[in-house]
Amino acid sequence: MKKRLSKSLLMTVLITGMCIGGAQGAYAADDLNTFALDEYVVTATRTMKQLQEVPASVSVVTAKEIEEKNIMSVPEALATLPGVYKSQAAQGGIKMRGFNTSDILVMVDGMQVNSTYNNNVSWELVPVANIERIEVVRGAGSSLYGGRAVAGVINII
């Protein structure tokens, strides 16, 4: 009898605690504050820095901007940035500071996606719906990223 009483008492306490705690959790969820965080970039220095602290010419295209402008391809998203142009000569190619795609290092989550054959990029392999942001560093990035980053670096995250 003593064992049963303690088990039933324990169950009652647990159930009551869950009901009360669950009600408070629902109340707290309705009263949450939202905060806007500062924007950080990694591509320009290979370390996380705030955009205004980066010692390079960096631009960012966010998923929100892609959705608002109804952008359907990565070259179209890149063409919205200063100094980046969608090439009319090569289908889907881009130009940055007078250089073609073959002189621009393109990465997806920090991994190079340029072709090893001719250094071009198959833009259609990157679905626009999965993009969180695109960081573009204009200018030579060879000291950080090697010889393929002559015109700049594009990191699609």
Side-chain angles (χ1 to χ4, degrees):
M1 179 77 171
K2 189 175 181 183
K3 260 188 172 178
R4 274 194 181 175
L5 183 60
S6 63
K7 282 186 180 178
S8 62
L9 181 63
L10 178 63
M11 288 301 288
T12 304
V13 169
L14 287 174
I15 292 171
T16 305
M18 286 175 31
C19 291
I20 292 172
Q24 287 177 345
Y27 175 74
D30 292 340
D31 197 29
L32 289 177
N33 293 327
T34 57
F35 299 97
L37 300 176
D38 293 333
E39 188 170 315
Y40 287 87
V41 294
V42 177
T43 308
T45 60
R46 286 193 155 180
T47 59
M48 187 178 293
K49 293 208 182 262
Q50 287 185 336
L51 189 58
Q52 62 269 20
E53 294 177 0
V54 175
S57 179
V58 179
S59 298
V60 178
V61 178
T62 63
K64 183 179 178 183
E65 292 170 339
I66 291 171
E67 184 179 338
E68 286 174 354
K69 295 177 182 177
N70 198 25
I71 294 173
M72 298 304 210
S73 68
V74 176
E76 192 177 335
L78 293 170
T80 65
L81 298 175
V84 182
Y85 306 97
K86 191 173 173 185
S87 175
Q88 301 302 321
Q91 179 140 0
I94 60 166
K95 287 183 168 265
M96 187 185 311
R97 297 193 171 207
F99 291 97
N100 292 325
T101 307
S102 60
D103 294 315
I104 303 168
L105 176 64
V106 180
M107 302 183 296
V108 173
D109 292 329
M111 300 297 294
Q112 180 179 329
V113 294
N114 295 72
S115 166
T116 55
Y117 174 67
N118 59 6
N119 208 29
N120 284 327
V121 178
S122 297
W123 297 107
E124 64 275 359
L125 297 178
V126 182
V128 178
N130 295 345
I131 295 175
E132 178 184 323
R133 72 180 184 274
I134 303 172
E135 297 177 1
V136 177
V137 181
R138 289 178 301 282
S142 300
S143 61
L144 285 175
Y145 291 100
R148 293 184 185 235
V150 176
V153 180
I154 298 171
N155 191 11
I156 303 166
I157 300 165

